[in-house]
Amino acid sequence: MPKAIKNIELTNMPENIEGLQLYDHVFILLRYHGKPVGKVILPVKNGALRLADHRDEIHKAVEGPIKFAAVDHFLFSDLKHKPLSEYRVTVAICTRNRAADLKLCLDALMKLPQKGQEILVVDNDPSDDDTKNLVAQYCSVKYILEKRRGLDVARNRAIKEAGNEIIAFTDDDALVDPNWLEALLKNFEEPLVMCVTGMTMPLELETKGQEAFEHYSSFGKGFFKKRFSYFNSDPLAAGNVGAGANMALKKKLVNEIGWFDEALDAGTATHSGGDHEFFVRILLAGYQIVYEPEALSWHRHRRTWKEAQKAIMGYGVGVYAFWTKLFVVDKQYTIIGFPKGWLLHSQLPNLVKSILRRGGRYPLTFILLELWGCLKGPFAYFKSRRRLTQTLKEQA
Amino acid sequence: MSCIASIIIPTHNRSASLKKLLDKLHQQGFPFQNFEVVVVADGCHDNTVEMVRSFKSAFKLSLLELPGLGAASARNAGAAIASGNWFIFLDDDMEPCEEFIEQHIKAHSNDNTVVIGYSPLRLEKKASVQRMSLRHWWEDKFQEMRKQNHRFKYSDLTSGNFSISANLFKRLDGFDTSMKCREDYEFGFRLIEAGSQFQFAYKAVAFHNDEITSFHRSLLRKREEGRADVQMKNLHPHFINKQAIHYLNAHSFLKTVYLKLLWHIPSVLDVSAKAAEHTAVLLQKLKLRSSWLNLNYRLHEYWYLRGLFERLNSNDDLKEIQVGTIAVNENLVCIIDLMEGLQNAEQKIDELKPLAVIVLYKKELGTISYEGGYEQIKGIHLRKILKEQFTNELYSGLKEN
């Protein structure tokens, strides 16, 4: 039961969407004068979607965010926004053996307005030359080979190589919206804002695996812009802040809070968590992170069921791995409440719902794999740390 | 002989940081013959006086000694012997950038402007949460002023980094020396009421190396602020004390009892407040964030109210300090209808110069009311105020379209 993905502009809504013979539902991103304000999933009838039949659902989906979007439009649309400061930016993509995906990613980046941005591809421990050859076709893209495996290793390398003050990260399997970079950048005007995260939507929902993954762990953090700081939200709850697949940060941040922890994230035993652990350190140092839904990127979830399962277990491992670090290394003892909260308010209810086969349930295997991942997390962290120390020793 | 700018620095036993500041003034791009520096050593018993006397400067450097009269008196005394056309006030824990003087002078368009510089708080590595919250507070204030549509108010005047023409300073008799705290807000209030134009100069940077504002000092200061705000109200009946109104909001039964207790037997809770202070320090060490934030807020509230109540004599005074709106003459109120376009509304405000504005859009949205110590409302302020104050009302009007 694949879903089509569509964008609808509310101020210029078509009557019908045709040509949906292959789909039974449509996932729609709703925009108001280009600004994302909501999403809705609507059923296809006879290969088409009659939007007029779903007015109420659409209205409900944008309630809240549209209020601010409409008032902002009314008040400010005739004014030209004069940026208080101009930034130059480096866009970095960390990739490993995914040349076909990377091509789409780079093509989307080429469509961004040219403001002198630098584009870096960090090729992480590749098994062939495909990525290198692909990048060679783009004269404006810089290729960097990082032999040491690990997403956080690659991120750190990108920061070291970046020629500009701000570095924006996108994943190799994501396509950015034309307004993406501008939307991220406009939030850096205030000196305490050190990091901005964007909103991620699914690029395609063609397979069972992609649909289940989107349903289970949607990257979307909502349509309200948010500002996170130590003083308005718990800095340890970094999952709410966003994800490394769509974020930008100031280079000088690493002088203040250190580098991405190379014992964490993809390519190590911990599978994920490197971005969230970094967000926690930003907030603990008293800096701010802005979540900007206008900085939109479209993520192509893994297509097979097996890959979706792997990603979900990896998520469980990563979360517990970085929590372990917070507890043991950073002595943030209140982190103890988080596993309990997650288990009691989310994991267990979902498990029960799944076993009782209630509506809106998640696949049982996902839940069990996530739990299994959680159990492995703390061990994975120590294992990964030991390996990292060893590698660094061998190199030295 | 008069020069262009006089840098006036009141100081109190901080010889080392003052030395650093004087060194920084030596690195100014501004010609040395065009500015002078006046140091007012107020109640100094370290080596400040000797340090300044032996300091070899390429600019004119004068020293004044006072027996410890407080910052307001020290600034006035410095201004009295300063010869520049412009006075730039700097605190002794500031580190100005190279273009500091130039940026201040450049920002003045006439005799009637007050220029506030940008003073980012510099934090040491591994700063405490308390210090981080201080930086947060300062930065919010500066970033707000940086916006082009910011409506300035009395509390925007930060005495550690601002400049003013000698004429304006003298015309208003400088700082009120009866204020022992918030003398800057009080001066800001008079400046605004006198119609002077505030401006923010983001490039007039002086790093603020305040290393002494600890948790305990912050609480002591809060009590002083409570006292000073009563003084403010006595001096300026149009001052709306939003902080007191906020803290005195008896939203629950417990809060009502607490306020009654504090009002009738003020010192009875001091012992628990002391204990709470120790607890807060412990909570911070244990990194128990939300408990610390909560207790921190309560303690600041407590000491503010303690200070406030000390200076209030009667129930009437207490009522008076909570007055949230001030009636203005009907002739000074204007009505704007947003249906006629935002630009028209902005123009109307600029032409009529009202004290208060009634806003219509299909129906009455509400009133932008008068507040003492707030800059005369201008057209450019309108959109931001509408967004902050009337988003819901405006949206219900827009929805009908």
Side-chain angles (χ1 to χ4, degrees), chain B residues 1-4 33 83-85:
Chain B
M1 196 187 77
S2 79
C3 54
I4 296 172
Q33 68 274 18
S83 62
N85 297 328

Side-chain angles (χ1 to χ4, degrees), chain A residues 57 60 91 104 129 140 161 260 329 346:
Chain A
E57 284 152 282
K60 231 183 133 209
V91 179
L104 299 175
D129 282 343
S140 58
E161 300 282 344
F260 281 94
V329 182
S346 166

Side-chain angles (χ1 to χ4, degrees), chain A residues 233-271:
Chain A
S233 56
D234 193 331
L236 305 185
N240 302 327
V241 170
N246 184 354
M247 68 172 175
L249 39 94
K250 285 185 186 154
K251 188 168 176 158
K252 65 177 177 196
L253 186 57
V254 292
N255 303 328
E256 308 267 341
I257 68 160
W259 299 85
F260 281 94
D261 182 350
E262 295 181 350
L264 288 171
D265 228 310
T268 74
T270 62
H271 296 289

Side-chain angles (χ1 to χ4, degrees), chain B residues 113-223:
Chain B
T113 40
V114 174
V115 172
I116 298 149
Y118 175 44
S119 318
L121 182 68
R122 216 181 241 161
L123 280 195
E124 61 284 0
K125 282 236 155 140
K126 305 247 166 194
S128 68
V129 173
Q130 153 71 25
R131 311 255 310 138
M132 277 169 13
S133 81
L134 201 62
R135 177 175 66 178
H136 195 95
W137 184 87
W138 277 111
E139 206 55 56
D140 271 358
K141 194 173 162 116
F142 292 128
Q143 295 304 324
E144 206 42 55
M145 282 197 260
R146 207 178 149 202
K147 293 174 185 155
Q148 277 169 340
N149 51 10
H150 173 67
R151 185 181 177 192
F152 281 96
K153 53 181 182 292
Y154 66 98
S155 53
D156 289 334
L157 189 86
T158 42
S159 52
N161 176 2
F162 83 103
S163 61
I164 182 171
S165 73
N167 288 340
L168 183 57
F169 189 85
K170 283 174 189 157
R171 184 150 64 85
L172 293 187
D173 292 329
F175 288 92
D176 184 331
T177 52
S178 72
M179 303 284 295
K180 293 297 164 219
C181 169
R182 290 211 160 156
E183 71 286 352
D184 42 2
Y185 286 13
E186 196 281 331
F187 190 41
F189 202 101
R190 271 183 294 130
L191 282 165
I192 294 242
E193 298 287 285
S196 66
Q197 279 300 312
F198 279 29
Q199 260 176 57
F200 182 60
Y202 194 53
K203 285 184 177 163
V205 180
F207 289 99
H208 188 187
N209 294 317
D210 167 17
E211 276 151 21
I212 57 158
T213 304
S214 61
F215 183 52
H216 184 64
R217 283 186 83 111
S218 162
L219 295 177
L220 288 178
R221 160 110 196 153
K222 209 68 192 169
R223 185 178 190 170

Side-chain angles (χ1 to χ4, degrees), chain B residues 17-33:
Chain B
S17 73
L18 181 66
K19 169 90 171 44
K20 214 173 181 181
L21 167 53
L22 292 175
D23 286 337
K24 283 278 164 193
L25 288 174
H26 250 169
Q27 292 160 22
Q28 290 296 307
F30 206 69
F32 290 143
Q33 68 274 18

